[in-house]
Amino acid sequence: MRRKVTRREALVTGLASVGGFALRYPRSLPPTYGSLLRMGDNLTYAAHRALLPQQALVKEYGEADITSFPAIGTTNPGSSGTPERARDYSRMESASFAEWTLSVEGLVGRPRTFSLAELRQLPSRTQITRHTCEEGWAAIAQWTGVPMGAILDAVGILPAARFVVSYSYDDFANSIDMLDAFHPQTILAYRMNGRDLSVPHGAPLRLRVERQLGYKGLKYLQRLVVTNEFDDGGTKGDLANGWAWYTGI
Amino acid sequence: MLVSGPFMHAHAVWVRVSHWIVTAGVLTLGYTGFVILMAHPRLYWGDAGNDLTPALIELPISRNYQHGGWAAATPLFEDRAAGPVSANRTYNIFNKNGWGRSLHFLAAWIVVLSSGVYFYLGVARGHFRADIWPARAAIVAPQSSADRQVRRDYSLQQKWVYSLVVFVAAPVIALTGLTMSPAVTAAFPLLLRAFGGYESARTVHFFAFVAVALFLIVHVVMVVRSGFRRQIRSMTVGV
């Protein structure tokens, strides 16, 4: 005979799973602006954060697996975007980005800038990972860079910190939560396949967010801002342009 | 569950409700899936594939089909003459699919959750065993069509097709969908191994849905030919 689940058992199991879900549910969700689509995105985001192991690593491939890699979106900020930005970028590129700096600011104890030379001196991570484009294609490349967590530790984030917003020279912005920011494979990459990052792929520094789609990996990084409230860069960010903010999918 | 009897052929309430929720969900998934595919109508086998690598198949479904908008390719490694390359895109492709992807996942949530209830009740209420599963006895001794007329069971062919859709195609589509998620495969790398890589999973996802779409066409034709009003009544009000 089939055993019936008692009411008490059902209640206890139910409460335990709701409690477990609530504990790991993200404290700040992106705004939905009343859109059903954004509510669905938030459901996926909350479910991933509640149900998936928080620091699981994506698959890393071997050197023989490296594939051809299209360069899309901005392929040279020196010839697109606002004239002022284009001029700045071209000038820095012609000097091998010696003058380029990454500014790290917001809710941090010691806001500062990093030159490319300073970033190269920090402990680095090299990984061969798959870039999964929202369009449907994928490419495998080797990336070398500084884990974003190491940069955040160096500037000392304040306890209220929830998101890291990235701004780029080609006038885009993007943000990720602290879980992805401190994920070991989230790196600020300055090398691709063993060579300095080329201009089409985001020179001198680009973000890699391996557990999300390719478009979260902003190219041509200029500035990181740590915030306590949701901010994806406003008009330059994903949501204002009709794209999902969380793309762990 | 089919309530058998000479004059009754009623679907249980939970069968009727889940049937229509899943119908709306699957139509939404098919439409948004098509829009997503339009951005890159090329399919591959393996872990990775893109416009600079050979495709398994190219579908002529958008202006992105064989667009060829790429600048001259440069090698990624100086020491590998025939190795991987990079190239800049010189052509703005169709890529307004952000809404399509978000709606696809919203519909997927609805279909997966209601299918979960359907599978649970299908087993718990004996619906799968009694009405869907092509039972051994039936294979050995098919019921006569006269017998079926009275009992109004599904034919053995119907049971096979329904079983393939419910127990094979639907789980394969759900699993290959999850295999395309970088966050999910970080947690469950077995999925990538099971389907032979990210792009293989995408290809299997597509062809498994094509199979379901063909089933839907045959299903609707059969509903129309076997008495449209009676069938719709049976799947809505249940009499």
Side-chain angles (χ1 to χ4, degrees), chain A residues 17-100:
Chain A
S17 41
V18 168
F21 192 81
L23 273 181
R24 297 180 62 184
Y25 191 83
R27 278 184 258 187
S28 316
L29 286 173
T32 62
Y33 307 111
S35 156
L36 214 56
L37 298 182
R38 301 286 88 90
M39 292 175 200
D41 294 344
N42 281 1
L43 175 61
T44 304
Y45 173 53
H48 280 198
R49 286 295 176 257
L51 303 173
L52 297 179
Q54 306 206 337
Q55 296 293 314
L57 300 181
V58 300
K59 180 179 180 181
E60 295 197 14
Y61 297 85
E63 271 186 48
D65 300 320
I66 290 173
T67 68
S68 292
F69 207 121
I72 65 162
T74 306
T75 48
N76 185 358
S79 60
S80 57
T82 62
E84 202 178 312
R85 278 293 177 82
R87 203 172 52 240
D88 280 356
Y89 185 85
S90 296
R91 198 190 63 239
M92 290 189 303
E93 189 209 340
S94 58
S96 306
F97 297 103
E99 281 176 56
W100 171 94

Side-chain angles (χ1 to χ4, degrees), chain B residues 118-119 128 131-134 155-174 207-209 211-216:
Chain B
Y118 172 81
F119 269 88
F128 288 161
D131 307 319
I132 302 293
W133 192 253
S155 74
L156 194 59
Q157 292 96 316
Q158 278 177 301
K159 287 185 175 185
W160 269 109
V161 173
Y162 285 137
S163 292
L164 283 172
V165 169
V166 170
F167 304 120
V168 180
V172 163
I173 290 176
F207 283 108
F209 182 77
V212 169
L214 291 174
F215 158 77
L216 283 178

Side-chain angles (χ1 to χ4, degrees), chain A residues 2 36-41 43-44 47-48 51-53 56-59 61 63-73 75-76 130 132-140 183 192-195 198 200-201 210-213 215 242-244 246-249, chain B residues 36-37 39-40 42 44 47-53 70 75-78 80 83-89 93 95-106 109 113 120 124-125 177 179-189 192-193 197-199 202:
Chain A
R2 201 171 50 167
L36 214 56
L37 298 182
R38 301 286 88 90
M39 292 175 200
D41 294 344
L43 175 61
T44 304
H48 280 198
L51 303 173
L52 297 179
L57 300 181
V58 300
K59 180 179 180 181
Y61 297 85
E63 271 186 48
D65 300 320
I66 290 173
T67 68
S68 292
F69 207 121
I72 65 162
T75 48
N76 185 358
R130 189 185 68 244
T132 310
C133 181
E134 49 81 19
E135 291 169 8
W137 55 265
I140 295 171
H183 186 266
M192 176 185 180
N193 295 334
R195 298 158 84 177
S198 63
H201 290 287
E210 305 291 4
R211 287 191 304 181
Q212 296 203 41
L213 292 184
Y215 72 80
W243 299 91
Y246 178 71
T247 60
I249 293 293
Chain B
I36 294 167
L37 194 60
H40 193 74
R42 302 178 101 226
Y44 311 89
D47 289 304
N50 54 62
D51 281 303
L52 307 178
T53 69
W70 297 93
L76 283 168
F77 296 94
E78 277 157 353
R80 282 194 229 165
V85 296
S86 183
N88 292 2
R89 185 179 279 161
I93 65 162
N95 193 19
K96 288 272 179 283
N97 67 2
W99 69 271
R101 200 166 32 255
S102 289
L103 185 55
H104 198 74
F105 297 125
L106 183 61
W109 271 111
L113 293 177
Y120 172 74
R125 301 276 171 93
T179 309
M180 284 187 271
S181 155
V184 170
T185 51
F188 305 105
L192 285 171
R193 285 203 295 278
Y198 166 83
E199 289 292 350
R202 181 169 171 264

Side-chain angles (χ1 to χ4, degrees), chain A residues 230-249:
Chain A
F230 181 84
D231 177 2
D232 75 337
T235 54
K236 298 171 177 181
D238 297 327
L239 291 177
N241 296 295
W243 299 91
W245 172 74
Y246 178 71
T247 60
I249 293 293

Side-chain angles (χ1 to χ4, degrees), chain A residues 154-184:
Chain A
V155 295
I157 59 165
L158 302 181
R162 292 275 174 276
F163 300 96
V164 180
V165 195
S166 310
Y167 292 88
S168 73
Y169 266 97
D170 58 339
D171 265 332
F172 284 107
N174 222 319
S175 69
I176 54 177
D177 67 6
M178 281 299 161
L179 210 68
D180 267 330
F182 278 96
H183 186 266

